[in-house]
Amino acid sequence: MNKSNSAKYSINLSFEEIKLPPFQDILILGKNSQHGKLGMLKSFELLVPNGFEIIEVNHKNVEAVFVNKRILTKMPQEKIIVILEDKVFPFVSDSELLKVDFRVAISYSNIEQEL
């Protein structure tokens, strides 16, 4: 049996199209993030003009939340912030940018109307 000393490679490769900005729903900005609030806002205005609303929050680790305006047409920002404060903010470090997928589905049941 002749064993070869040649190297073998095993490669897994995948790729996908990205969209700018690299998140679609919500971005949470930590208080000590490398990226400042105003710089992020200017970037968004260049990439997606009038696409995101900045919401300043009073939290020990979070400076601001950027919310896609299409979400705000479905749900008031106050309710969004309450959900984020309860479910997401406890896991945010003060130096990070955190992408949040926030899907809103609206449903009605038992609708009755007179015709």
Side-chain angles (χ1 to χ4, degrees):
M1 221 178 236
N2 185 6
K3 290 189 178 182
S4 173
N5 288 336
S6 64
K8 292 184 180 180
Y9 295 92
S10 175
I11 299 170
N12 294 317
L13 177 69
S14 67
F15 54 91
E16 63 182 86
E17 177 185 14
I18 64 165
K19 294 182 172 51
L20 294 175
F23 70 95
Q24 302 301 311
D25 299 329
I26 293 175
L27 183 75
I28 296 175
L29 179 66
K31 284 202 179 201
N32 295 319
S33 173
Q34 296 177 19
H35 311 284
K37 174 178 55 180
L38 296 177
M40 294 296 294
L41 185 59
K42 287 179 183 178
S43 296
F44 292 148
E45 284 303 314
L46 290 173
L47 295 171
V48 187
N50 204 29
F52 287 86
E53 183 80 28
I54 184 171
I55 303 168
E56 295 188 33
V57 294
N58 186 16
H59 185 271
K60 66 179 183 170
N61 289 339
V62 177
E63 180 175 8
V65 177
F66 294 86
V67 180
N68 191 309
K69 287 187 177 179
R70 70 177 164 68
I71 294 172
L72 294 171
T73 63
K74 297 175 182 75
M75 190 173 192
Q77 74 179 27
E78 296 79 16
K79 289 186 180 187
I80 294 168
I81 296 301
V82 167
I83 292 168
L84 294 175
E85 286 175 338
D86 184 45
K87 304 296 183 189
V88 182
F89 285 11
F91 303 99
V92 178
S93 75
D94 67 346
S95 62
E96 71 182 334
L97 282 173
L98 190 69
K99 169 185 147 181
V100 179
D101 292 326
F102 195 94
R103 306 283 185 240
V104 178
I106 299 172
S107 63
Y108 294 97
S109 61
N110 213 14
I111 297 174
E112 295 181 23
Q113 290 182 315
E114 283 190 34
L115 300 175

